[in-house]
Amino acid sequence: MNDDADCFCSTILTPEFFSTYWEERPLLVKAADFPDNPLPSMIDADTMMDILGRIPDQLKIFKKGRAVAPSVSPWLAYLDGASLIVNMADRTHPRLFAFCRELATRFFHHVFAVLYLTPPGTFAVNVHSDDQDTILVQLWGTKAWKVFGPLPGLRLILSDEMAGKSETVPTGAEGPPVLECTLSAGDVLYIPRGHLHCAKTPESSQSLHVTLTVPSSDMNRGAALERTLGEIIRGPLRPQDSMQIAATAAPVSTNSTSRPGGNVLDEEE
């Protein structure tokens, strides 16, 4: 049992969430409707400073859509308008780790956390889509978000179908936002896999949010089959390989993902 997960699941990961929103449409839950949200109390400013000082290998720095050289001091980069992004942040915080593990056990098989610290008046990345389902929780400060629909034919995307990563999404291609909001401490925003989105801090506030990440494209049977075949092609064929292909591929569903009760495969961040 995990009290943090119990509280989060009773308000956010409800049967209605999975039947109405999961991989279909974004969801915004304001702090006023979730006063017992346990996540904002997990990471204060001192805790964030401690995390940043202990995980140099997991730290990424971005400023307005461009990566900043890792040789640059993160503190100087932040003061210059860059965002500090801590991947696998759950590995640095026992309580957050236990929370993610419990969500994984109950619903998703695998969940990890990413922290985003952004200074006032800027943004980390341009409009883009992810091959993961993400649940964002604002820990402190504020950040304005726009969530758009997926690009045509690219709803439940795989890793090589993400938009806005290596190339900029053409101006206007995202269409009008389906959800526009400003997150404050305690607010929760769910963004389905494949939905384009972008965010920016106001001039008056910095922002720290945690992204609870479900690597759902990695759990797709089609992606699993592609990965398995690739491993076999690169190495010698073994008798058990044919059994592995059969177990991975059957039954094949185009959009089979990690919905509760579905089949998933283990995957690291």
Side-chain angles (χ1 to χ4, degrees):
M1 297 295 292
N2 182 289
D3 291 341
D4 294 329
D6 287 343
C7 181
F8 197 83
C9 292
S10 66
T11 301
I12 305 298
L13 301 180
T14 62
E16 181 186 4
F17 170 79
F18 288 110
S19 64
T20 305
Y21 297 97
W22 175 251
E23 294 200 325
E24 294 290 343
R25 55 180 60 87
L27 171 66
L28 172 66
V29 177
K30 300 295 289 182
D33 298 317
F34 190 13
D36 298 327
N37 188 343
L39 286 165
S41 66
M42 288 189 192
I43 301 177
D44 57 17
D46 289 338
T47 302
M48 186 62 187
M49 291 288 286
D50 178 63
I51 291 173
L52 288 171
R54 290 191 289 113
I55 44 71
D57 293 340
Q58 299 300 332
L59 180 64
K60 297 180 180 180
I61 306 174
F62 277 82
K63 180 181 178 182
K64 295 184 176 180
R66 295 182 177 274
V68 177
S71 59
V72 175
S73 163
W75 317 115
L76 294 179
Y78 179 82
L79 292 175
D80 190 44
S83 295
L84 307 183
I85 304 170
V86 182
N87 190 33
M88 295 189 290
D90 49 299
R91 307 293 177 89
T92 71
H93 192 286
R95 184 178 169 190
L96 182 59
F97 178 80
F99 174 76
C100 289
R101 291 299 300 166
E102 185 65 21
L103 296 188
T105 299
R106 295 188 188 191
F107 298 111
F108 303 116
H109 191 68
H110 185 38
V111 177
F112 62 92
V114 184
L115 288 168
Y116 292 79
L117 179 63
T118 303
T122 190
F123 60 93
V125 292
N126 296 308
V127 176
H128 68 282
S129 62
D130 294 312
D131 62 343
Q132 305 158 332
D133 286 89
T134 56
I135 303 172
L136 288 64
V137 181
Q138 190 71 22
L139 301 179
W140 30 274
T142 60
K143 181 175 277 189
W145 287 83
K146 292 181 180 180
V147 183
F148 309 89
L151 292 173
L154 295 174
R155 189 172 72 86
L156 298 180
I157 61 173
L158 301 179
S159 298
D160 60 352
E161 297 173 321
M162 292 187 292
K165 300 288 186 173
S166 58
E167 297 182 0
T168 303
V169 174
T171 302
E174 69 274 17
V178 297
L179 177 63
E180 193 168 357
C181 62
T182 297
L183 298 186
S184 300
D187 292 348
V188 179
L189 174 63
Y190 165 67
I191 302 178
R193 171 163 61 117
H195 279 56
L196 294 163
H197 54 279
C198 61
K200 183 179 181 180
T201 52
E203 296 292 339
S204 59
S205 176
Q206 61 181 342
S207 167
L208 177 68
H209 80 265
V210 60
T211 296
L212 305 173
T213 306
V214 181
S216 43
S217 71
D218 293 339
M219 303 171 187
N220 182 284
R221 284 178 177 152
L225 178 60
E226 179 182 7
R227 185 166 57 246
T228 300
L229 288 173
E231 292 172 353
I232 293 172
I233 291 171
R234 288 190 294 270
L237 185 65
R238 303 164 299 171
Q240 62 266 37
D241 288 335
S242 59
M243 297 177 62
Q244 185 177 359
I245 294 174
T248 302
V252 175
S253 174
T254 303
N255 290 325
S256 177
T257 65
S258 58
R259 289 184 176 86
N263 295 326
V264 293
L265 296 179
D266 197 7
E267 183 73 13
E268 289 299 321
E269 293 94 336

